[in-house]
Amino acid sequence: MENIFVELEAYLSHECLELLQRVGDSAQKRGESAYLVGGLVRDVLLCQSSLDLDIVVEGDAIGLARQIARDRDWTIRTHPRFGTAKLSMKEFGLDIAMARSETYQKPGALPVVKQGAILDDLLRRDFTINAMAARLNPGCFGELLDPYGGQGDLSKRIVRVLHQVSFIDDPTRILRALRYEQRLDFHLERNTEKLIRQDLDNLDAVTGERLWHELELILEEKHPEKAICRADELGVLQKLYPALRGDGWLREKFAQARTGGDGPLSLSGIYLALLAYRVDPEDIPVFISRLKMPGWAARIVRDVPRIRQGMSSLAALEIRPSEIYRRLEHQIPEVIKAAAVAADSLVVRERLELYLNSLRAIKPSLSGDDLQEMGVKPRGELGRILRVLRDARLDHEVTLRVEEEALVRRLLTRV
Ligand code: CTP
């Protein structure tokens, strides 16, 4: 039997490898068998490192997780209903699940789960390249289980389902297939592509939450536009929402969004705003509810029509920095960035970037407490004077603290 110890040693950290050996030792002592499964096996065989540790145990996953947590002072969270546990330590997390078999009652529904053996567990998985496991018990550590030809498909660079009804069992795999195909630069195996086209309508039965989860995973990819454009080509994107488009425009704008190093802005948020950018404002509420978007995402998508509406006013010939600030201060920074990327007008783009890169951080140097010491009343007046000071800074009317103090005194004598 093939052994992938050399690959594990090459692409995992020393701590990670030692941890896997401990998991195997603990399982052995308990008379159980433990396996490394899923994405990590795929990634090390592709000569890539990975931090996503998924373990399957033929036996009691929660009992094994508790034992490891006791030995090593880890934080543990258990889900007895699913027979799974999550261990976390500083730099990694470790998911342990019991080996299970699954049966699907109807398309799009969650499966009925029963305890099973490792081969049952691999059979329930999405693609051959994700259906491999490495043994962790001492004496056979690193032995590869590859019952569906995953390794062969990795070398052919193809994404292939395990059986004909895979997308009927779980239509979200359609989105997963495109994500892996585009991330790894693989292609869909011919029959798998045919099944995607054939089973597309099953996506209609999938809940918004599950569709959103898959879209979010795509938006977290390094180059999400690749999977989105592929989804458009196969008619999958329109199943998420009919008005979405994955075309040359989207490709270009997503790539632009990555340039400019906008520090703390969330790239996924910017991508989402760009995806929503060409959805008709009237359709936005339906788009949000079809995908049951969580609050942060719904706020972004809802903000898009508002910023688009204000774009023409940002193109005015003469506009003071304080006016730019006022027009943008209540908009989400990720949406502003998306609008800058999407803007046709160079002037508008520069003003949006100016706000993001400089104006939004500008504050008066006098604080509320300083103002109160100067005799400003805490309610009403204080907020107004702070805004006047900020505007004066934004418009370069004051630059020094003493100039701010002089301005406050002038304002106070005028009241
Ligand atoms: N899986 C599946 N069907 C799904 C979701 C997950 O078969 N709808 C299986 C796959 O075998 C996958 C494993 O569960 O490898 C773990 O899922 P996940 O963490 O989503 O995938 P990874 O393979 O770890 O991929 P990624 O690199 O994207 O994290």
Side-chain angles (χ1 to χ4, degrees), residues 283 296 354:
D283 294 341
W296 70 266
L354 176 72

Side-chain angles (χ1 to χ4, degrees), residues 304-324:
V304 170
R306 281 183 43 211
I307 202 158
R308 286 186 55 190
Q309 224 174 20
M311 292 284 259
S312 56
S313 70
L314 281 174
L317 217 52
E318 288 291 324
I319 182 167
R320 285 144 68 95
S322 58
E323 285 172 56
I324 300 178

Side-chain angles (χ1 to χ4, degrees), residues 18-38:
E18 193 199 76
L19 173 66
L20 291 176
Q21 282 164 333
R22 271 171 182 264
V23 172
D25 289 346
S26 305
Q28 179 87 2
K29 282 188 199 127
R30 297 166 54 86
E32 296 171 336
S33 297
Y35 304 84
L36 180 66
V37 291

Side-chain angles (χ1 to χ4, degrees), residues 71-326:
D71 289 353
R72 293 206 107 195
D73 206 19
W74 284 49
T75 320
I76 177 168
R77 277 203 356 239
T78 62
H79 301 279
R81 232 185 95 207
F82 301 106
T84 60
K86 206 176 193 50
L87 292 169
S88 33
M89 212 170 71
K90 277 176 282 140
E91 73 275 36
F92 15 69
L94 180 78
D95 285 305
I96 306 188
M98 68 170 183
R100 62 182 70 188
S101 68
E102 285 180 353
T103 41
Y104 290 84
Q105 316 262 292
K106 61 174 190 212
L110 292 173
V112 177
V113 171
K114 280 206 305 244
Q115 188 160 7
I118 184 68
L119 289 180
D120 300 315
D121 199 281
L122 296 179
L123 176 64
R124 75 181 176 87
R125 288 173 187 263
D126 48 6
F127 309 112
T128 58
I129 56 171
N130 287 342
M132 293 180 275
R135 292 183 194 275
L136 297 180
N137 286 47
C140 52
F141 188 93
E143 270 180 23
L144 182 71
L145 269 70
D146 179 14
Y148 306 104
Q151 236 190 334
D153 288 346
L154 282 181
S155 57
K156 286 188 224 146
R157 306 182 72 80
I158 56 177
V159 177
R160 180 206 302 264
V161 282
L162 301 193
H163 54 80
Q164 289 297 102
V165 293
S166 185
F167 296 127
I168 297 178
D169 283 349
D170 179 359
T172 65
R173 290 177 177 160
I174 294 177
L175 289 152
R176 294 175 64 84
L178 307 187
R179 183 158 59 86
Y180 291 120
E181 181 198 41
Q182 296 303 315
R183 180 206 297 171
L184 302 172
D185 237 339
F186 277 27
H187 55 269
L188 298 175
E189 174 264 340
R190 192 133 41 108
N191 176 53
T192 302
E193 180 170 338
K194 195 183 101 206
L195 293 174
I196 288 184
R197 293 182 191 273
Q198 184 182 305
D199 296 334
L200 211 57
D201 287 344
N202 289 313
L203 281 168
D204 295 337
V206 176
T207 62
E209 285 92 343
R210 296 188 68 205
L211 290 181
W212 166 255
H213 177 65
E214 294 304 327
L215 177 61
E216 192 179 13
L217 290 175
I218 289 178
L219 295 175
E220 283 165 3
E221 290 288 315
K222 221 164 155 191
H223 298 114
E225 66 274 20
K226 291 172 71 185
I228 294 175
C229 292
R230 182 73 161 127
D232 187 324
E233 190 185 310
L234 293 169
V236 175
L237 191 64
Q238 291 66 27
K239 287 283 168 195
L240 292 185
Y241 194 70
L244 298 182
R245 272 184 280 162
D247 51 9
W249 183 92
L250 186 112
R251 247 181 226 286
E252 185 191 318
K253 302 301 174 190
F254 272 42
Q256 270 180 32
R258 286 188 288 274
T259 60
D262 290 283
L265 295 193
S266 139
L267 259 179
S268 307
I270 303 172
Y271 294 142
L272 177 63
L274 285 169
L275 193 62
Y277 208 78
R278 291 176 295 167
V279 174
D280 197 316
E282 284 177 14
D283 294 341
I284 289 282
V286 192
F287 175 41
I288 292 172
S289 72
R290 170 61 186 117
L291 294 181
K292 288 274 181 314
M293 288 185 201
W296 70 266
R299 275 192 292 281
I300 286 187
V301 172
R302 240 182 261 126
D303 229 22
V304 170
R306 281 183 43 211
I307 202 158
R308 286 186 55 190
Q309 224 174 20
M311 292 284 259
S312 56
S313 70
L314 281 174
L317 217 52
E318 288 291 324
I319 182 167
R320 285 144 68 95
S322 58
E323 285 172 56
I324 300 178
Y325 188 100
R326 207 158 308 126

